[in-house]
Amino acid sequence: DVVAARYTDRAGTSTETTFVSVSKGADGTIAPFSKTYGDAEIAARTQFSLAEAYLEMAKRHRSLGQIETADQEYAAAKQMLSSVMNAFPDPETRAHAEFLLGNLTLEEAKAAPDAAARETLLRSALARFMSVTGSYPDTLHASKAQFATAMVYEALGEPEIAAQDYVKLAYKYPDSEYLAKAMARLGTFFLMRAAAIEKKAAPYLERVETDPEAKFQSEKLREEAIVEYLKTAKIFGRLHERFPSHELAGPAGLQSGEAYMRAGQTQRALDTFLKVSRDQAYDGPKIRARAMYWAGTCYQKLRQPMAAFSIYKRLTYDFPESDWAKNAIGQLSQPGLADLESKLELERLEAQQE
């Protein structure tokens, strides 16, 4: 871009216009502390804002492939946060600085050249976050750091420890803004455990007809999987009930119902799906339609064909363009429900003739 400038004095005399070119991505000099603040809190907030700005610029430049520029901005953010920690020793400020330094290190880990460097940076970020939760547990950023700690453990491939840290968040910071997300991550952890157990059982299932030991092992693993599915269902169910307006509430209700289905608890699954399908706040084609379809499946398993027929039909009327409506049409074409529809249509015609 180009900036044009000129000076006009009180008498109306103007200088010649001077044009200054501004190059995209120019490496200009920034002097943010030319002013001395009398209020320490304002000074600290200013430095935090600048450090966060450097961090966001670094993310952007890294995404554009401008690695050298990004590295300079990461270095500037680190230097600024280090100076904040030295100048302002109060717990809130230090916790904030440690948390931002942890986030900064996480960003560096994403661009690490190899697995070893990535792990080193992840563990460095982990140390920062744990410093916040350990040294400043009552500060504003403590719950954020607790959630970040669990996420880093996931990134390190240590889901068991991550799950423990999500649980810690729930009982240490029950009012945390990250609690719903933590519950979703924890529910997903148990869902993955259940899926892993079922995968382990698959080879035994192939031999149950001829091998008594395989039958015993498959049944044992099935029981273990059910336990994990029930944990999944209960965690997602609590999320759904406790945070009804959260963006994760609808998906959590679906996950809860589907986990109950996999555990063989069809009635509880049905109750959950019906609750989700009736909530007008949820996305129709993606969430409510899916809940209606699975509710129909549950009705079929519970040998309630009329209820299944009714909800499948309503799904095709309410959300005809959804994939779940197409699935419902497929179910309605099956012999049992197709015969029921023919019977109902015949009764309707006879009633009209009367």
Side-chain angles (χ1 to χ4, degrees), residues 294-306:
W294 288 123
T297 302
C298 289
Y299 276 130
Q300 287 182 288
K301 288 184 177 181
L302 292 169
R303 301 183 183 282
Q304 299 181 40
M306 182 60 75

Side-chain angles (χ1 to χ4, degrees), residues 197 201 214-226:
I197 293 171
K215 182 178 180 181
F216 171 77
Q217 290 295 337
S218 65
E219 290 175 351
K220 179 182 177 182
L221 290 169
R222 172 60 183 162
E223 290 174 0
E224 291 179 11
I226 287 174

Side-chain angles (χ1 to χ4, degrees), residues 201-212:
Y204 295 109
L205 290 172
E206 296 174 356
R207 307 196 308 270
V208 292
E209 298 295 332
T210 58
D211 186 346

